[in-house]
Amino acid sequence: MEEPQSKLSSLPPPPPPPTTPLSLVEPSSKNNKKGSVKILRAFRNVFRSFPIITPVCKLPSLPGGRLPETKICVSGTLFGYRKGRVSLSIQENPGTLPTLVIDLAMQTNALQKEMSLGMVRIALECEKRPDSNNKEKTKLLEEPCWTMFVNGKKSGYCTKRDATEADLHLMEVLKAVSMGAGVLPSKSDVAEGHADDEMAYMRGHFERVVGSKDSETLYMLSPDGKTEPELSIFFVRI
């Protein structure tokens, strides 16, 4: 009787079930980067063949010499385990790979409480580094570390990171969700009945306003588009 049991115990464990392949695609900004460079070069070559003409009137200058703000609509997801830190993922749309993932200095349940009380203003600040005068300056949303403030109160430090397999799996599960909030049970919840490991998420459309190379803002858009944003995230380099 003992021999069959010993043989069974020596057998290797069964392979894990196959995972669902990701269908998320690269953002269009990355796909069109090389093509944009070729188009720009072709335009320059054509432009150089034109005769030089001195304009009669001058173009009006912008107030303060600053470029106008650029507005882009992106998809933003706040997610995290109830007793863990909340993370922010920014995508061009729900069907693309994340362009930005930041672990915020705040517990998920604390953010949920703040959101239930009213409007939430999150400010992420970073300091200018010695290479700030170089042409190849780090882009604002590529800064690695931030100091976080929630409604004017310092919350701690947060970091930018690469998307993990768990992040990509979550984005794949939420691919069909454009706006909404809910809870996704983890595998341990089903097996052990633990509710503390539930993954809470909130997804919405954000208006990304680029004020300058050192300031950007994400405004969560309401479904009706009339009320003030319940959540605003400010990125500032000072």
Side-chain angles (χ1 to χ4, degrees):
M1 297 295 293
E2 295 181 356
E3 185 176 356
Q5 291 181 357
S6 61
K7 289 182 178 181
L8 290 174
S9 61
S10 63
L11 293 176
T19 58
T20 304
L22 293 176
S23 61
L24 302 175
V25 299
E26 290 283 352
S28 61
S29 57
K30 291 187 178 181
N31 291 334
N32 296 334
K33 186 175 181 181
K34 293 182 180 180
S36 299
V37 173
K38 292 181 179 179
I39 294 174
L40 179 60
R41 288 176 179 174
F43 175 79
R44 286 178 176 174
N45 293 334
V46 174
F47 181 78
R48 287 171 181 170
S49 64
F50 291 163
I52 300 176
I53 302 175
T54 304
V56 178
C57 60
K58 295 182 179 180
L59 295 175
S61 59
L62 295 171
R66 297 181 59 184
L67 294 175
E69 293 181 341
T70 303
K71 297 181 180 181
I72 307 171
C73 187
V74 297
S75 177
T77 308
L78 292 159
F79 62 96
Y81 292 107
R82 290 187 182 275
K83 293 187 178 181
R85 292 177 61 174
V86 63
S87 299
L88 169 67
S89 172
I90 298 299
Q91 299 166 268
E92 185 178 276
N93 60 65
T96 61
L97 294 168
T99 57
L100 175 69
V101 179
I102 296 180
D103 288 331
L104 301 179
M106 193 174 195
Q107 298 289 319
T108 303
N109 52 9
L111 177 61
Q112 291 175 330
K113 183 179 179 180
E114 290 287 343
M115 294 286 293
S116 65
L117 297 176
M119 293 184 292
V120 178
R121 300 290 182 266
I122 296 177
L124 301 179
E125 295 184 358
C126 66
E127 295 182 357
K128 292 182 179 180
R129 293 182 287 179
D131 63 347
S132 59
N133 294 325
N134 296 339
K135 292 183 179 180
E136 300 298 329
K137 179 181 177 181
T138 303
K139 294 182 179 180
L140 180 60
L141 297 188
E142 293 179 357
E143 290 286 352
C145 300
W146 304 84
T147 303
M148 179 174 168
F149 298 85
V150 180
N151 291 338
K153 296 181 180 180
K154 186 176 179 179
S155 178
Y157 299 96
C158 47
T159 56
K160 173 184 175 294
R161 61 173 175 81
D162 294 331
T164 64
E165 291 185 7
D167 298 333
L168 297 178
H169 175 71
L170 177 63
M171 298 302 113
E172 182 71 28
V173 172
L174 299 177
K175 183 178 177 179
V177 179
S178 58
M179 300 182 71
V183 175
L184 299 176
S186 64
K187 295 180 180 179
S188 62
D189 297 338
V190 178
E192 304 175 9
H194 293 169
D196 293 340
D197 291 332
E198 290 178 336
M199 173 69 72
Y201 72 90
M202 180 178 65
R203 167 170 284 184
H205 295 300
F206 284 79
E207 186 179 54
R208 178 185 171 190
V209 179
V210 181
S212 69
K213 61 183 179 181
D214 295 321
S215 66
E216 295 189 21
T217 308
L218 295 174
Y219 297 102
M220 176 178 280
L221 302 176
S222 58
D224 55 12
K226 297 178 181 179
T227 58
E228 293 186 7
E230 297 181 359
L231 175 65
S232 299
I233 305 175
F234 303 88
F235 297 86
V236 183
R237 183 160 46 196
I238 57 177

